[in-house]
Amino acid sequence: MTDRYREILVVDLLGGIGDLIMLLPAVHALARRNPGARLRVLTHDPGAGLLRADPAVDAVRTPRHGRPGAEREAVRDALAERRPDLVVSTTRYDGIPDLLAASGARCVTDLWRKPPPDEPVGTRYLRILHEEGLLTAADVATRPRVALAPAVLAAGEQVVTALVSLAGADPALVAAAYGPAGTARPLRAPVVLVTEAGMAVKRWPAPWWRRLADALHRRGHPVLSVGPEPVSPSVVPLPRMDLPVLAGCFAAVARRGGVVVGPDTGPVRLAAASGAATVGLFGPTWARRYGIGGVDLQGLPECEHRLPTAITEQSCWWQGDCPLSPTGPACMADLRPERVHAAVRTLLTRTGEKPP
């Protein structure tokens, strides 16, 4: 590597929290290989909130409105604000790659090119940037990590302490989760269930969540959840909060040796990037390409309708209509709660459950 850049613009306007987290290693590697550069990121809320405390990022920009054309307009504004000499982008729609190329900066806008089915997306980004001479071979091993301010860590610690502590949790929830007063068991490492997937095709069946939660509860684990409603009386829901504080909660769970379980969705990737052990539930997406990095379980790996490198073209993707089952995604149902419970127990053993 010989070239160094002073003004770097990273564009991720795909819309998903998970998409942004998969790009974080590239953001951090570019900052590391260009010391002193001013690095800006153009992305969407709420993911933008994860970058505002990141020392590698000098400025975060978001589209000014939600109407059609907002993303292209935001790119034009970012280029006018400061002329970059390097642009890296995951965004390919609405003529945005051509708009970036017209800026005169060096542009890498084809991070999705020729994806192997068994190479993780984030690693593919890094490998392409290495092939372009922008990163070193060592950078390809970079993992996603969110930068958390001390105040965010403290807030997450406070929330988790309250929810896993018999003294601090809501009495009604304590009674449901731990039994009547005087029968409570010593608290073990917490497990967080991320029950909402954002897309119907990624949802794990509600009865499976209930069976998993009850099995963990019987072993004495505080079971928390991120989702619209608890899946079992034994589950204590986390309150609604912004993404940085949620990341702080996941860091507090990690400190206790806990585990976060959920489908291929942004909050589970956020948990891993906050240091927590994760069990990822993969059905329509291929775990070898979209894996989160903890224990990634693949449902129905033999499904002939799955397209690992073109998931949005799958017949089930947008509407969630499974061609193999009228009652929901067969690939997600294939992930039996006993298998998931065993994976959680394995991770809890590895992390060495730490006391709260």
Side-chain angles (χ1 to χ4, degrees), residues 161-219:
T161 297
L163 294 183
V164 303
S165 168
L166 292 177
D170 179 82
L173 293 175
V174 169
Y178 304 108
T183 66
R185 294 159 290 175
L187 292 178
R188 303 182 70 177
V191 179
V192 182
L193 311 180
V194 179
T195 59
E196 178 53 54
M199 297 184 69
V201 72
K202 295 183 180 181
R203 290 184 186 133
W204 204 39
W208 277 198
W209 281 120
R210 185 161 51 251
R211 284 170 57 176
L212 175 63
D214 292 346
L216 291 165
H217 163 63
R218 285 193 296 270
R219 286 184 172 269

Side-chain angles (χ1 to χ4, degrees), residues 235-311:
V235 174
V236 180
L238 271 73
R240 293 183 64 86
M241 62 190 75
D242 62 25
L243 285 181
V245 176
L246 180 59
C249 289
F250 288 142
V253 169
R255 191 184 70 80
R256 290 164 169 78
V259 174
V260 178
V261 185
D264 176 13
T265 191
V268 185
R269 294 189 184 278
L270 179 60
S274 304
T278 59
V279 175
L281 310 180
F282 287 81
T285 51
W286 188 236
R288 293 184 194 171
R289 178 159 163 73
Y290 289 92
I292 295 166
V295 175
D296 295 321
L297 303 178
Q298 183 70 63
L300 212 63
E302 69 277 12
C303 178
E304 63 182 14
H305 300 279
R306 187 184 291 109
L307 303 174
T309 62
I311 56 176

Side-chain angles (χ1 to χ4, degrees), residues 6-320:
R6 306 301 300 173
E7 289 285 341
I8 303 173
L9 176 64
V10 176
V11 180
D12 181 75
L13 294 168
L14 300 178
I17 299 165
D19 295 311
L20 177 60
I21 291 172
M22 286 190 289
L23 187 61
L24 276 183
V27 171
H28 293 149
L30 286 168
R32 188 164 57 246
R33 295 305 164 199
N34 294 274
R38 176 180 171 84
L39 191 151
R40 294 177 293 155
V41 178
L42 174 58
T43 190
H44 284 108
D45 283 322
L50 297 172
L51 298 177
R52 294 196 170 99
D54 195 322
V57 178
D58 292 280
V60 185
R61 298 289 181 262
T62 59
R64 291 185 292 174
H65 57 81
R67 298 185 297 275
E71 288 80 7
R72 183 179 174 85
E73 180 182 312
V75 169
R76 187 182 296 111
D77 290 345
L79 294 173
E81 179 185 34
R82 298 180 73 97
R83 183 185 179 280
D85 50 12
L86 173 64
V87 177
V88 172
S89 175
T90 61
T91 309
R92 300 181 294 176
Y93 58 83
D94 202 15
I96 286 175
D98 292 337
L99 182 60
L100 293 170
S103 70
R106 180 176 179 189
C107 294
V108 181
T109 59
D110 53 354
L111 291 178
W112 295 96
R113 69 191 187 213
K114 300 179 181 177
D118 294 336
E119 184 174 45
V121 171
T123 303
R124 182 62 180 160
Y125 292 164
L126 293 166
R127 195 173 303 282
I128 288 175
L129 293 173
H130 171 49
E131 292 170 358
E132 293 280 347
L134 296 171
L135 301 180
T136 69
D139 293 320
V140 177
T142 307
R143 300 288 300 160
R145 183 65 65 182
V146 291
L148 301 177
V152 164
L153 289 169
E157 186 68 34
Q158 183 177 15
V159 171
V160 171
T161 297
L163 294 183
V164 303
S165 168
L166 292 177
D170 179 82
L173 293 175
V174 169
Y178 304 108
T183 66
R185 294 159 290 175
L187 292 178
R188 303 182 70 177
V191 179
V192 182
L193 311 180
V194 179
T195 59
E196 178 53 54
M199 297 184 69
V201 72
K202 295 183 180 181
R203 290 184 186 133
W204 204 39
W208 277 198
W209 281 120
R210 185 161 51 251
R211 284 170 57 176
L212 175 63
D214 292 346
L216 291 165
H217 163 63
R218 285 193 296 270
R219 286 184 172 269
H221 294 281
V223 185
L224 314 180
S225 70
V226 177
E229 58 186 32
V231 294
S232 166
S234 63
V235 174
V236 180
L238 271 73
R240 293 183 64 86
M241 62 190 75
D242 62 25
L243 285 181
V245 176
L246 180 59
C249 289
F250 288 142
V253 169
R255 191 184 70 80
R256 290 164 169 78
V259 174
V260 178
V261 185
D264 176 13
T265 191
V268 185
R269 294 189 184 278
L270 179 60
S274 304
T278 59
V279 175
L281 310 180
F282 287 81
T285 51
W286 188 236
R288 293 184 194 171
R289 178 159 163 73
Y290 289 92
I292 295 166
V295 175
D296 295 321
L297 303 178
Q298 183 70 63
L300 212 63
E302 69 277 12
C303 178
E304 63 182 14
H305 300 279
R306 187 184 291 109
L307 303 174
T309 62
I311 56 176
T312 61
E313 297 175 19
Q314 293 173 186
S315 57
C316 62
W317 187 253
W318 296 111
Q319 301 303 321

